[in-house]
Amino acid sequence: LTQWYKNAVQVRGGDLRITIPATTAAGPSLQKTQLKKLKKPISECSVAASGQPGFDVLLPMGNTMVLCECRYTEPPDRERSSNKISPAEDVRRKTVLAEGEVKASKATIQSGEITAKASAFVLVAHRATGRLEGFAELCSKRPQGKKALADWHSFM
């Protein structure tokens, strides 16, 4: 997985072996999918349906399901405040939500039923503030708030 996502920083878990999916000349169909409700095999990239908690894109890569959450942070200007990526909301909480969706799903990939152990959560962020390594370290530190602490226990 780390060869596919260059310059990524891993927060927890081990590196997963993936298979780069073959695409047709037209590319993937990008069907909208709600993972928890899906009971059929997932063989190509899918966009999460509206209301799908935890992630935006499902990408089966061999025996691994890659769940991508896409975040864009904007610099502050006169009309908008900046949208900062946070370890509690954007990493730990989304990871816990994604794991719950995977566990509730009956969908399959190449190796069989989708499992949390054979899944990867990838946060794709644009204009993240600060060093990526520092942000990754924050994701593994014990938070202060009750809700963030509950997510942290599930995350770790």
Side-chain angles (χ1 to χ4, degrees):
L1 190 63
T2 53
Q3 290 177 356
W4 180 255
Y5 291 99
K6 302 280 189 224
N7 301 319
V9 175
Q10 189 170 331
V11 175
R12 70 177 177 116
D15 200 16
L16 293 169
R17 180 175 278 317
I18 61 170
T19 302
I20 308 304
T23 58
T24 63
S29 66
L30 295 179
Q31 304 228 349
K32 287 196 170 196
T33 303
Q34 183 132 23
L35 184 59
K36 190 180 344 186
K37 295 179 180 177
L38 199 61
K39 294 182 175 143
K40 63 180 186 174
I42 302 174
S43 59
E44 59 186 10
C45 185
S46 300
V47 176
S50 296
Q52 171 69 65
F55 52 90
D56 300 316
V57 178
L58 295 90
L59 182 59
M61 300 182 89
N63 296 329
T64 301
M65 175 58 76
V66 178
L67 308 166
C68 297
E69 169 70 10
C70 305
R71 296 295 307 230
Y72 179 82
T73 58
E74 298 183 11
D77 65 33
R78 292 183 189 141
E79 297 178 26
R80 297 184 288 215
S81 62
S82 64
N83 178 16
K84 292 186 179 178
I85 294 174
S86 78
E89 280 296 310
D90 298 306
V91 178
R92 292 188 293 259
R93 183 170 168 270
K94 294 281 187 171
T95 302
V96 170
L97 289 170
E99 183 178 25
E101 292 294 302
V102 166
K103 287 179 177 178
S105 173
K106 299 296 180 208
T108 59
I109 54 175
Q110 181 178 318
S111 62
E113 200 167 295
I114 298 170
T115 66
K117 188 174 182 174
S119 296
F121 176 80
V122 175
L123 173 66
V124 180
H126 179 67
R127 285 198 188 164
T129 56
R131 287 181 29 248
L132 188 56
E133 292 81 7
F135 181 78
E137 288 173 23
L138 284 174
C139 294
S140 297
K141 288 190 176 177
R142 185 181 179 98
Q144 298 300 318
K146 285 184 179 180
K147 174 135 182 50
L149 189 57
D151 286 341
W152 184 77
H153 284 298
S154 297
F155 176 75
M156 296 308 285

